[in-house]
Every structure is written in structure tokens, then in C-alpha cells.
Amino acid sequence: MNHSQDTGPRGMPEDRKLYIVDSINDLNKLNLCPAGSQHLFPLQEKIPDVGTNSGNGSHSLFFMGLIMVLIVSLALVSFVIFLIVQTGNKMDDVSRRLTAEGKDIDDLKKINSLIVKRLNQLDAEQN
């Protein structure tokens, strides 16, 4: 049974083994040779393209969109909470005013009844 990729005794594909050995050789060259005397290929060129990095742009775009949606949602929720607090404060003010005006109305009713009694007494004395 021959697989599409040859595997070694530990089950590691030959391409990966070569990549690891090549990377170790590059590290050794960096340590042994003076800086700038050896042109090394970037690691991106040495990694075999097996399709593991495909779609990274769409994933990052998706996450950026998700972050933007979360930020907008957080802003909207904060605004709604602000409006609820403001509405509660206004309702407290209106409630206090109604309570105070209710007391004022009760006081006016008492004064009115005292005036009516006094007028009735004066009217009774004049007759």
C-alpha cells in the first residue's frame, strides 16, 4: 500500500522532515556564517502549500466584521441603558411634582372649605 505521501518510521511525511532539516540547516548557517553573507529564503517560500492557509483573508475579514458588529451592538445597548436611566429620572421628577401638587390641591381644598364656612357664617349673621 503506497500512500500519496511517503511517511517515515514515526508517521511524519517526508516533506515535513525535509522542511525541518532545511530549517535546522538554515539556523546552523546563521550561527556559523557572518551576517549578510548568506542569502536565505524566507520561511514562507519553504512551507509546502497544502491548502492550510487558504481563506485566511476571508477569516480575518469575517472577524473584523464580527468585531464591528459587536462594537455597534455595545454602543446601541449602552444608548438604550442611558435612555432607560434618563426616563426613570424624568418619571421620578414627574412623580415628585404630582405628589407635591396633590398636597397643594389638598391644601387649597381645605382653604376653600374654610372660606365657604366663613362665608356661610357671615351670611347667616346678616340674615
Side-chain angles (χ1 to χ4, degrees), residues 74-89:
L74 180 64
L76 288 174
V77 167
S78 300
F79 182 68
V80 167
I81 289 172
F82 172 76
L83 287 178
I84 289 171
V85 169
Q86 289 297 323
T87 304
N89 290 340

Side-chain angles (χ1 to χ4, degrees), residues 35-82:
S37 65
Q38 183 77 22
H39 174 69
L40 299 175
F41 293 108
L43 290 177
Q44 294 293 335
E45 294 177 7
K46 293 182 180 182
I47 298 174
D49 186 21
V50 291
T52 56
N53 290 334
S54 65
N56 278 347
S58 64
H59 288 300
S60 64
L61 183 63
F62 171 74
F63 286 123
M64 289 301 292
L66 183 65
I67 288 171
M68 291 301 292
V69 167
L70 290 175
I71 289 172
V72 169
S73 299
L74 180 64
L76 288 174
V77 167
S78 300
F79 182 68
V80 167
I81 289 172
F82 172 76

